């Protein structure tokens, strides 16, 4: 089961659009996909036709009341389930402040469901608070949606530093798999310059022991497309709303790239690292 956190502390860069439409593209190919809406704005829930009324069981109950994750899941499309969010989740930051191990709540909830889904995509809000920290602790991979503007690059370093801290202190299996360029304008000079700078930055990290030393910029570019902006208001993915538009074509291509990274390889790597951690623990002197 590939667990992927889709994060960027900057708003409006395409996190929710990518989470929902990539999930739908993978589900259309026959994979069982789970979306976790970890944003109090509940945009992913709304995007998939679920009204965040604050009355139905949601991811808030999972994190604050230890409700089993399976109890709050809803099937949004064939092969696609979502743990919805609502405005109550905004209070979770405060309510969990005094909880021991609060950054591991989501990871512990996902453990019993391991193997039931092929992909878990976590849509995170525009912050690096406890909800995003839960996603990073539960995930094996990170996808970073990025708008090809220079200002968007400024926050990337801080985001990567956060993944490094989580990898070092909490989740040694965490890696930054790739960067998704969203809201792209065709062949603009600015986009090309940003892409060049981003490539140079990633190349410099190849020999470093950091979670992003194998990250790549996905070849699929998500072009600016009005249909992608319209479909959330209809509660549909781009494939249900406008399956022949450029947006659907772009996310279909992105899904192909994600599938090319074999889930078996990712799972095997995690199993090997976990076994190695266990051996180290067994060999450590007992106090």
């Amino acid at each position: 089961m590939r667990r992927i956190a889709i994060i960027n502390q900057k708003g409006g860069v395409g996190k929710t659009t990518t989470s929902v439409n990539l999930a739908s593209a993978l589900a259309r190919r026959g994979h069982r996909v789970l979306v976790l809406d970890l944003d109090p704005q509940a945009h992913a829930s709304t995007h998939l036709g679920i009204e965040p009324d604050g009355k139905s069981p949601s991811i808030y109950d999972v994190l604050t009341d230890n409700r089993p994750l399976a109890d709050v899941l809803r099937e949004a499309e064939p092969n696609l389930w979502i743990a919805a969010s609502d405005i109550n989740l905004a209070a979770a930051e405060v309510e969990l402040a005094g909880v021991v191990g609060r950054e591991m709540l989501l990871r512990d909830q996902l453990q019993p469901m391991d193997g039931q889904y092929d992909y878990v995509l976590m849509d995170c809000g525009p912050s690096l608070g406890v909800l995003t920290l839960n996603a990073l602790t539960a995930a094996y991979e990170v996808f970073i949606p990025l708008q090809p503007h220079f200002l968007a690059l400024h926050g990337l370093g801080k985001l990567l530093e956060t993944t490094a801290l989580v990898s070092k202190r909490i989740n040694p299996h965490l890696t930054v798999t790739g960067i998704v360029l969203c809201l792209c304008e065709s062949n603009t000079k600015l986009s090309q310059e940003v892409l060049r700078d981003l490539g140079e930055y990633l190349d410099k990290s190849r020999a470093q022991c950091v979670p992003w030393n194998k990250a790549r910029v996905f070849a699929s570019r998500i072009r600016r497309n009005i249909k992608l902006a319209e479909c959330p208001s209809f509660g549909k993915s781009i494939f249900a709303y406008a399956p022949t538009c450029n947006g659907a074509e772009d996310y279909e291509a992105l899904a192909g790239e994600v599938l090319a990274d074999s889930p078996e390889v990712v799972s095997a790597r995690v199993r090997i690292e976990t076994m190695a951690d266990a051996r180290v623990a067994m060999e450590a002197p007992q106090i």
Side-chain angles (χ1 to χ4, degrees):
M1 184 167 77
R2 288 179 68 177
R3 303 182 192 174
I4 303 169
I6 300 178
I7 66 173
N8 193 322
Q9 75 273 29
K10 189 176 187 302
V13 296
K15 292 186 296 295
T16 298
T17 300
T18 296
S19 299
V20 168
N21 292 308
L22 176 58
S24 183
L26 293 169
R28 282 163 48 86
R29 294 190 179 209
H31 299 278
R32 292 172 60 85
V33 184
L34 173 60
V35 173
L36 303 181
D37 189 351
L38 296 172
D39 186 351
Q41 298 177 93
H43 286 170
S45 305
T46 302
H47 202 322
L48 286 171
I50 296 174
E51 182 65 30
D53 55 15
K55 300 177 182 179
S56 303
S58 70
I59 196 75
Y60 168 80
D61 301 291
V62 173
L63 295 175
T64 63
D65 198 31
N66 201 33
R67 185 161 187 161
L69 183 57
D71 287 358
V72 307
L73 300 186
R74 307 189 210 182
E75 188 169 9
E77 293 182 1
N79 291 326
L80 175 57
W81 289 262
I82 183 170
S85 174
D86 56 47
I87 193 60
N88 291 325
L89 194 60
E93 298 271 352
V94 175
E95 293 182 29
L96 296 176
V99 177
V100 176
R102 58 188 177 276
E103 69 277 358
M104 301 180 185
L105 295 171
L106 185 61
R107 184 197 68 180
D108 293 345
Q109 286 282 358
L110 278 172
Q111 287 302 120
M113 307 185 75
D114 199 26
Q116 296 181 29
Y117 299 91
D118 301 309
Y119 291 87
V120 177
L121 302 184
M122 307 174 209
D123 180 39
C124 302
S127 73
L128 294 176
V130 69
L131 297 175
T132 298
L133 187 58
N134 262 270
L136 291 174
T137 303
Y140 298 140
E141 303 175 67
V142 172
F143 288 179
I144 302 175
L146 190 72
Q147 191 173 0
H149 291 175
F150 280 116
L151 289 178
L153 289 177
H154 285 189
L156 183 62
K158 176 64 176 177
L159 178 55
L160 293 176
E161 286 177 14
T162 301
T163 64
L165 285 172
V166 173
S167 175
K168 179 180 180 180
R169 299 178 181 177
I170 304 174
N171 181 8
H173 308 307
L174 186 68
T175 60
V176 179
T177 301
I179 295 172
V180 184
L181 291 182
C182 300
L183 299 168
C184 289
E185 312 249 356
S186 301
N187 300 319
T188 63
K189 182 179 179 181
L190 177 60
S191 295
Q192 296 303 318
E193 290 176 351
V194 170
L195 183 59
R196 184 189 65 243
D197 291 348
L198 183 57
E200 291 175 355
Y201 180 86
L202 294 177
D203 287 342
K204 290 178 182 178
S205 70
R206 301 305 179 201
Q208 301 176 29
C209 185
V210 290
W212 61 92
N213 60 9
K214 295 182 181 178
R216 62 191 174 103
V217 180
F218 286 107
S220 304
R221 308 283 189 261
I222 310 303
R223 291 166 284 182
R224 189 181 293 274
N225 182 262
I226 190 60
K227 298 298 183 183
L228 287 172
E230 292 174 354
C231 60
S233 63
F234 291 88
K236 297 179 179 180
S237 71
I238 192 62
F239 301 101
Y241 178 69
T244 60
C245 74
N246 287 341
E249 179 182 321
D250 295 343
Y251 277 109
E252 184 68 25
L254 179 61
E257 286 193 72
V258 173
L259 289 170
D261 296 329
S262 170
E264 289 76 14
V265 172
V266 174
S267 298
R269 172 178 56 76
V270 171
R271 285 197 299 272
I272 291 170
E273 291 173 350
T274 302
M275 291 171 64
D277 291 344
R279 284 197 298 272
V280 169
M282 292 175 64
E283 293 169 1
Q286 301 296 314
I287 298 176

